[in-house]
């Protein structure tokens, strides 16, 4: 979804909630994914231990990120990988374009990469007359339908089989409508194989980049990632700068956490470790491998000790599957590359609270995301932090766009509320007011929102404080 | 009558602002269940809200001022502080530490936090309360608040107390893990999503075929029964403390 389009969260929520098919698709999909995750992480003690290990590894990476990135760059260079640094998405997009121009490339086959979504790379390349083709099955489906992904791991999670059958029939020349999944798969495989063979350049994401050896790790199930990185003459890998890990031994726990959380697998069908281009005498592999390391606001996030925990994310998407809000409104409603709980904390930091500050309101702080996060990101706490910064009453905010919500009315309301809770006389007056008038309040403001689907709260004629006094409960 | 009169002599009771204003009977029932175990209950009249509404809404300083007030009100003695709400207990036990993490008051706050217990967990674990059911047979279900479940971890204690009541059949709802959509000011800031969540929760409760649900959190209860009222669903909600007291008194 284009980041420059005016973002109206409220409207997209209303639209998403009205779409019954969408809600049913999401409920079915997230229930399935949650069940699969639980089957793999069935021992709570073992899971907790693994999560603590994962958390420790990612925290360690973040404490020495600059050194690890330097080491990664040096090792990659030794291995023959050409490393590029991009501070902004514009820079990253232009690096990709330059590489395509240099190789007179027109057609690009793409493995799944959320960073490329963050860059809106497809649109950028199309505008330059290039042909970027998604090869992950989910991405392929939604690209055919001209849509952005609605999930980090399962991009076409919002579509059911019939809708996918229709997308194929409408968008692939010569294909007639079929709901048979194996037929649909065969059609996609046939089309994609043609593209792998004829593409000038292949692009992929990076799940883990190992600093000590300069190895790029790619986790996938379909084999399309391997095709994109091995068949075309040039391979370009994209990574956010937080994806680096220190050493090879760090991979098994993180890989296990990623697979188990994302798809409920112990291991995936493919785990690619890329350590450079084709060597002399080798028969396959790309002739050139490039790595683009993107910042896009990440180093600013790193600078704040609390917010930096956002960068621990390994993009498993399990917080989405467990979020009661995401399950109901779906990924597109967030109007952002990263939806769900992780998107609520990441997007406002990357794009600014003034642009994406409404996202952190879409959480009941039920802690389901925190309960399952494989690397133990305290998402609810970070949501609260961003809500604080949205009002930024003391002017000390660090997130771009802080204080965008500053409101005199809300400030007065909360200051008044505080007074009734810290001052005994004010508390008594408030309770008296509630007892006398609480049940007659006009249905405006917060009460209007509340009573749209609920009866008015009923306040008691005697407070607990009154009752306790009456019953002679000791006061102190 | 008490099972462990020698073990615990005195506790503080934090009633919560919502109980104070809207569900005082539930609050009083909690006090009586504690007294029944031979415990002396102190209810400081100067207490207020735990601070969670402001804390979750982005008004940290106000939350902190209110939190500090509670720490002071309960500082007379080192008695345990019993809270008839998993959500408020979670705020007081864990989030006060977060609020004061960089302040010199941290250690004083920490001592306060360590004394906080959710009511049913205290009754079940510390007091080992034993109940004899005097009521007629009834079928009901249980709703756990997110913070009772994920912060205080007291859902099993609440259910254990209900299961002691011989004539009560507890039917569990299918999606117990899922939030009812209250979330304090969330229900006001995102009313549509909250409405979708509470609607589904009510459907789940209806699917158990029971005519009553219990909960240990009055916020969830206000949300769920409010939606039931609007939708004319004939199911009653009650705080667990009030229900247990009714059953054992016959």
């Amino acid at each position: 979804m284009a980041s420059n389009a005016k973002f109206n969260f409220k409207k997209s929520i209303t639209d998403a909630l009205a779409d019954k098919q969408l809600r049913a698709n999401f409920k079915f999909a997230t229930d399935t994914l949650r069940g699969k995750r639980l089957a793999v992480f069935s021992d709570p003690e073992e899971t907790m231990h693994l999560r603590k290990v994962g958390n420790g590894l990612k925290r360690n990476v973040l404490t020495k990120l600059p050194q690890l990135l330097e080491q990664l760059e040096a090792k990659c260079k030794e291995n023959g990988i050409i490393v590029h640094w991009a501070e902004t998405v514009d820079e990253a997009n232009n690096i990709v374009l330059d590489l395509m121009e240099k190789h007179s490339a027109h057609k690009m086959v793409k493995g799944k990469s959320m960073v490329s979504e963050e860059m809106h790379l497809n649109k950028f390349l199309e505008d330059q007359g290039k042909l970027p083709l998604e090869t992950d099955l989910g991405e392929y489906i939604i690209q055919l339908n001209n849509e952005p992904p609605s999930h980090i791991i399962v991009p076409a999670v919002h579509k059911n089989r019939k809708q996918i059958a229709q997308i194929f029939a409408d968008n692939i020349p010569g294909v007639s409508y079929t709901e048979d999944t194996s037929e649909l798969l065969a059609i996609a495989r046939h089309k994609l194989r043609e593209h792998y063979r004829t593409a000038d350049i292949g692009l992929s994401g990076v799940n883990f980049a190992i600093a000590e050896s300069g190895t790029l790790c790619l986790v996938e199930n379909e084999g399309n990632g391997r095709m994109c990185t091995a068949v075309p003459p040039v391979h370009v890998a994209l990574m956010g700068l937080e994806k680096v890990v220190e050493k090879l031994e760090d991979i098994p726990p993180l890989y296990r956490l990623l697979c188990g959380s994302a798809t409920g697998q112990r291991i995936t069908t493919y785990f690619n470790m890329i350590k450079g281009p084709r060597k002399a005498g080798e028969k396959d592999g790309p002739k050139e491998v490039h790595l683009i390391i993107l910042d896009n606001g990440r180093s600013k996030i790193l600078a704040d000790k609390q917010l930096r925990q956002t960068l621990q994310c390994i993009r498993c998407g399990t917080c989405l599957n467990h979020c009661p809000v995401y399950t109901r409104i779906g990924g597109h409603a967030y109007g952002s590359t990263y939806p769900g709980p992780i998107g609520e904390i990441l997007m406002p930091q990357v794009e600014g609270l003034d642009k994406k500050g409404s996202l952190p309101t879409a959480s009941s702080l039920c802690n389901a995301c925190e309960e399952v996060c494989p690397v133990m990101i305290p998402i609810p706490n970070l949501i609260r932090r961003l809500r604080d910064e949205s009002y930024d009453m003391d002017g000390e905010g660090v997130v771009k766009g802080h204080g965008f919500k500053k409101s005199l009315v809300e400030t007065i309301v909360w200051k008044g509320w505080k007074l009734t809770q810290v001052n005994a006389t004010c508390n008594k007056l408030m309770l008296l007011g509630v007892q006398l008038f609480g049940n007659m309040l006009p249905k405006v403001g917060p009460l209007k929102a509340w009573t749209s689907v609920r009866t008015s709260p009923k306040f008691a004629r005697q407070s607990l404080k009154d009752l306790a006094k009456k019953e002679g409960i000791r006061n102190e | 009558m008490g099972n462990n009169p020698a073990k615990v002599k005195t506790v503080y009771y934090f009633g919560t602002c919502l109980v104070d204003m809207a569900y005082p009977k539930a609050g009083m029932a909690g006090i009586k269940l504690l007294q029944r175990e031979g415990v002396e209950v102190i209810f400081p009249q100067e207490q207020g809200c735990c601070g969670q509404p402001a804390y979750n809404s982005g008004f940290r300083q106000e939350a902190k001022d209110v939190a500090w007030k509670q720490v002071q009100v309960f500082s007379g003695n080192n008695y345990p502080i019993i809270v008839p709400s998993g959500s408020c207990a979670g705020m007081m036990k864990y989030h006060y530490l977060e609020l004061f993490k960089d302040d010199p008051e941290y250690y004083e706050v920490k001592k306060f936090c360590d004394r906080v217990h959710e009511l049913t967990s205290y009754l079940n674990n510390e007091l080992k309360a034993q109940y004899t059911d005097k009521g007629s047979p009834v079928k009901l279900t249980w709703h756990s608040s997110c913070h009772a479940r994920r912060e205080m971890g007291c859902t099993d204690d609440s259910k254990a107390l209900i299961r002691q009541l011989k004539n009560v059949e507890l039917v569990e709802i299918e999606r117990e893990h899922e939030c009812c959509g209250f979330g304090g000011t969330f229900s006001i800031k995102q009313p549509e999503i909250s409405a979708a969540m509470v609607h589904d929760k009510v459907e789940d409760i209806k699917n158990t075929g029971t005519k009553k649900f219990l909960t240990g959190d009055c916020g969830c209860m206000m949300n769920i029964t409010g939606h039931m009222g609007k939708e004319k669903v004939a199911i009653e909600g009650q705080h667990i403390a009030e229900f247990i007291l009714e059953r054992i008194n016959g």
Side-chain angles (χ1 to χ4, degrees):
Chain A
M1 207 150 278
S3 61
N4 51 1
K6 181 135 177 58
F7 175 54
N8 186 340
F9 197 24
K10 197 162 175 44
K11 187 182 178 306
S12 53
I13 286 169
T14 308
D15 293 347
L17 287 172
D19 189 339
K20 289 213 161 61
Q21 183 64 61
L22 189 82
R23 277 179 73 182
N25 292 354
F26 270 100
K27 193 173 178 182
F28 174 75
T30 53
D31 276 356
T32 310
L33 287 163
R34 278 207 316 271
K36 285 186 172 175
R37 177 196 172 272
L38 204 58
V40 166
F41 293 138
S42 54
D43 180 343
E45 233 171 85
E46 192 196 332
T47 305
M48 184 47 108
H49 172 72
L50 195 59
R51 289 171 72 217
K52 281 185 179 161
V53 171
N55 173 274
L57 288 171
K58 291 300 283 188
R59 286 165 74 106
N60 175 48
V61 162
L62 295 177
T63 53
K64 46 183 170 186
L65 192 59
Q67 299 95 296
L68 289 178
L69 286 169
E70 273 173 35
Q71 193 187 0
L72 176 70
E73 182 183 30
K75 288 289 167 186
C76 281
K77 275 184 184 163
E78 275 177 31
N79 297 341
I81 298 173
I82 301 155
V83 179
H84 310 258
W85 298 89
E87 201 181 322
T88 63
V89 294
D90 281 348
E91 280 177 39
N93 278 327
N94 280 307
I95 294 167
V96 177
L97 181 65
D98 286 350
L99 287 171
M100 289 189 82
E101 299 281 341
K102 211 177 104 195
H103 291 89
S104 310
H106 171 65
K107 188 195 273 189
M108 167 190 278
V109 280
K110 285 183 70 200
K112 201 170 170 340
S113 154
M114 285 309 291
V115 168
S116 78
E117 296 295 334
E118 202 178 319
M119 290 156 57
H120 306 290
L121 177 66
N122 289 1
K123 185 172 184 312
F124 173 83
L125 290 179
E126 281 162 12
D127 289 349
Q128 305 294 326
K130 305 292 181 193
L131 184 62
L133 292 163
E134 296 291 349
T135 65
D136 170 273
L137 183 61
E139 293 274 358
Y140 177 69
I141 293 164
I142 56 170
Q143 191 182 31
L144 283 175
N145 209 37
N146 200 20
E147 282 180 62
S150 62
H151 193 285
I152 297 173
I153 296 290
V154 201
V157 66
H158 56 299
K159 300 286 183 202
N160 62 25
R161 186 161 49 106
K162 289 183 179 177
Q163 291 169 314
I164 292 166
Q166 198 59 55
I167 292 170
F168 273 42
D170 291 347
N171 296 287
I172 308 176
V175 166
S176 46
Y177 184 90
T178 172
E179 286 179 20
D180 186 320
T181 38
S182 40
E183 268 186 61
L184 289 167
L185 272 172
I187 294 163
R189 182 176 292 125
H190 177 72
K191 289 284 163 197
L192 290 172
R193 294 252 155 138
E194 220 173 275
H195 291 312
Y196 297 131
R197 270 198 305 273
T198 52
D200 308 303
I201 194 162
L203 184 132
S204 76
V206 175
N207 291 95
F208 311 106
I210 307 170
E212 72 170 359
S213 58
T215 312
L216 310 178
C217 303
L218 201 57
V219 179
E220 55 146 350
N221 273 311
E222 296 171 4
N224 68 319
R226 187 165 288 187
M227 292 283 203
C228 291
T229 59
V231 180
V234 182
H235 168 213
V236 180
L238 296 176
M239 67 175 257
L241 51 74
E242 78 283 13
K243 286 294 177 82
V244 66
V245 298
E246 192 168 0
K247 45 191 191 298
L248 184 64
E249 295 95 274
D250 299 347
I251 299 288
L254 290 173
Y255 177 57
R256 173 122 204 272
L257 284 166
L258 175 61
C259 301
S261 308
T263 46
Q265 291 170 289
R266 286 199 177 267
I267 55 166
T268 47
T269 318
Y270 297 89
F271 183 80
N272 307 294
M273 299 179 88
I274 298 162
K275 222 179 152 181
R278 181 194 302 199
K279 291 193 181 70
E282 286 180 346
K283 289 191 173 137
D284 56 9
K287 292 186 178 119
E288 267 182 38
V289 176
H290 296 263
L291 172 67
I292 303 175
I293 303 174
L294 177 69
D295 186 325
N296 194 26
R298 287 166 171 81
S299 49
K300 194 155 181 253
I301 298 172
L302 183 73
D304 184 281
K305 273 195 180 145
Q306 188 187 17
L307 295 173
R308 96 164 30 154
Q309 295 173 97
T310 314
L311 300 179
Q312 285 163 210
C313 179
I314 54 171
R315 306 285 189 262
C316 69
T318 203
C319 61
L320 279 54
N321 305 334
H322 289 78
C323 175
V325 173
Y326 176 88
T327 305
R328 285 177 179 84
I329 65 175
H332 287 166
Y334 293 80
S336 302
T337 306
Y338 302 94
I342 185 65
E344 284 167 29
I345 57 169
L346 180 60
M347 296 316 294
Q349 295 184 67
V350 170
E351 292 188 18
L353 279 162
D354 43 350
K355 290 205 178 89
K356 291 289 162 72
S358 54
L359 293 182
T361 64
S363 168
S364 64
L365 300 174
C366 76
N367 290 5
C369 50
E370 187 176 27
E371 186 180 46
V372 295
C373 177
V375 286
M376 303 176 81
I377 302 173
I379 299 177
N381 263 356
L382 299 182
I383 288 175
R384 283 188 200 96
R385 166 72 187 274
L386 293 173
R387 288 181 184 178
D388 288 345
E389 292 230 349
S390 301
Y391 292 101
D392 188 19
M393 306 321 285
D394 51 17
E396 287 173 358
V398 302
V399 181
K400 196 162 59 176
H402 60 91
F404 84 106
K405 244 186 186 175
K406 209 169 251 187
S407 140
L408 191 63
V409 178
E410 273 199 75
T411 309
I412 291 169
V413 167
W414 286 111
K415 289 224 181 292
W417 167 83
K418 183 191 94 177
L419 206 61
T420 63
Q421 303 307 325
V422 299
N423 182 295
T425 313
C426 293
N427 190 265
K428 269 186 198 140
L429 282 172
M430 185 270 296
L431 282 174
L432 190 66
V434 163
Q435 285 161 5
L436 292 174
F437 308 113
N439 295 330
M440 303 186 238
L441 288 172
K443 288 173 185 168
V444 293
L447 203 57
K448 188 180 169 200
W450 176 268
T451 53
S452 59
V453 292
R454 303 171 193 87
T455 51
S456 294
K458 290 270 172 293
F459 295 100
R461 294 211 159 271
Q462 277 188 312
S463 66
L464 177 61
K465 290 192 181 108
D466 295 338
L467 283 184
K469 207 182 279 174
K470 225 170 87 184
E471 296 265 345
I473 309 297
R474 197 176 137 195
N475 173 26
E476 193 176 277
Chain B
M1 198 168 214
N3 299 311
N4 282 305
K7 224 170 160 189
V8 177
K9 296 256 189 319
T10 311
V11 300
Y12 279 121
Y13 196 72
F14 179 82
T16 88
C17 63
L18 197 56
V19 167
D20 198 18
M21 291 187 292
Y23 300 98
K25 269 175 73 186
M28 208 55 227
I31 293 178
K32 288 190 172 155
L33 289 180
L34 289 165
Q35 287 176 330
R36 191 181 164 276
E37 302 305 316
V39 171
E40 186 194 15
V41 179
I42 307 174
F43 181 85
Q45 286 277 337
E46 279 229 10
Q47 62 180 274
C49 172
C50 67
Q52 186 169 201
Y55 178 63
N56 284 350
S57 300
F59 288 81
R60 198 180 170 87
Q61 190 52 52
E62 283 71 16
K64 214 169 152 176
D65 292 345
V66 170
W68 182 241
K69 170 74 182 181
Q70 307 319 316
V71 173
Q72 287 176 306
V73 167
F74 290 88
S75 68
N77 287 287
N78 279 329
Y79 303 138
I81 302 161
I82 314 301
V83 188
S85 154
S87 190
C88 309
M91 173 73 191
M92 298 165 86
K93 196 164 187 69
Y94 300 109
H95 298 287
Y96 280 17
L97 297 175
E98 170 74 22
L99 277 173
F100 289 89
K101 66 174 192 286
D102 300 321
D103 295 303
E105 292 89 358
Y106 179 84
Y107 292 100
E108 192 175 343
V109 172
K110 172 90 170 65
K111 273 191 244 160
F112 170 93
C113 298
D114 291 344
R115 290 156 54 211
V116 172
H117 301 263
E118 189 271 345
L119 174 69
T120 62
S121 130
Y122 196 74
L123 287 168
N124 192 45
N125 291 324
E126 300 291 326
L127 301 176
K128 317 265 183 231
Q130 296 298 316
Y131 297 130
T132 310
D133 192 3
K134 292 183 188 162
S136 46
V138 65
K139 207 155 89 166
L140 50 73
T141 189
W142 165 257
H143 166 74
S144 177
S145 85
C146 299
H147 298 158
R149 194 185 158 82
R150 302 197 176 99
E151 278 179 355
M152 297 307 290
C154 59
T155 303
D156 289 343
D157 293 316
S158 304
K159 285 185 189 172
L161 294 183
I162 298 170
R163 289 203 179 100
Q164 282 192 29
L165 304 167
K166 290 210 163 48
N167 288 329
V168 177
E169 186 190 343
L170 175 62
V171 186
E172 307 217 9
I173 55 175
E174 196 194 330
R175 304 169 81 84
E176 193 189 86
H177 62 274
E178 208 165 77
C179 175
C180 73
F182 176 53
T185 49
F186 166 75
S187 55
I188 291 161
K189 304 237 168 178
Q190 289 291 358
E192 289 184 276
I193 307 173
S194 170
M197 287 161 72
V198 72
H199 179 82
D200 291 350
K201 184 57 75 182
V202 168
E203 286 301 305
D204 256 4
I205 293 174
K206 272 159 72 180
N207 288 340
T208 62
T210 60
K211 290 289 161 217
K212 184 170 198 146
F213 79 91
L214 301 181
T215 178
D217 273 88
C218 288
C220 305
M221 188 152 79
M222 187 178 260
N223 184 40
I224 298 171
T225 56
H227 187 66
M228 284 172 165
K230 192 88 171 186
E231 298 275 299
K232 309 247 181 296
V233 175
I235 297 176
E236 187 200 353
Q238 195 176 26
H239 190 279
I240 182 171
E242 209 180 323
F243 176 75
I244 292 176
L245 194 67
E246 276 176 19
R247 298 294 298 193
I248 58 177
N249 285 341

